[in-house]
Amino acid sequence: ANRTVLAVAHRLSTVVAFDRILVVEDGRIVEDGPPLRLLREGGTFRRLWALQAEGLEAPSAVQPATAPRLGSVFAQRRNARM
């Protein structure tokens, strides 16, 4: 049963066990690789992970148009059971 799961997740802990992570900023892939390697490398995925771990959110006074863009994370798991 060879299957691939493509997941888009708000909680990064959901995708940390996946085989591959794609980090997208402004429509461009800025990081691609296994999640543990991306965490070690200290790039965007690591920054997003740290923000989420600290529980930081944009202040309510910040309007969505001016809030910092954090990027998107897509994950892939091969041979997943469905």
Side-chain angles (χ1 to χ4, degrees):
N2 291 327
R3 292 191 171 97
T4 296
V5 173
L6 181 63
V8 179
H10 292 283
R11 297 185 61 123
L12 298 180
S13 60
T14 302
V15 298
V16 75
F18 278 49
D19 299 313
R20 182 179 179 196
I21 301 285
L22 298 175
V23 181
V24 177
E25 285 186 308
D26 297 322
R28 296 182 54 206
I29 297 172
V30 295
E31 292 182 354
D32 179 358
L36 295 179
R37 188 187 86 213
L38 297 181
L39 285 171
R40 281 193 310 269
E41 289 177 352
T44 301
F45 185 69
R46 173 61 183 238
R47 182 173 51 84
L48 293 171
W49 183 272
L51 284 171
Q52 197 166 79
E54 294 170 5
L56 296 179
E57 295 181 7
S60 59
V62 175
Q63 298 299 320
T66 60
R69 298 186 77 164
L70 297 179
S72 301
V73 175
F74 300 90
Q76 175 184 28
R77 177 180 285 163
R78 293 188 189 101
N79 299 322
R81 293 183 184 159
M82 305 289 281

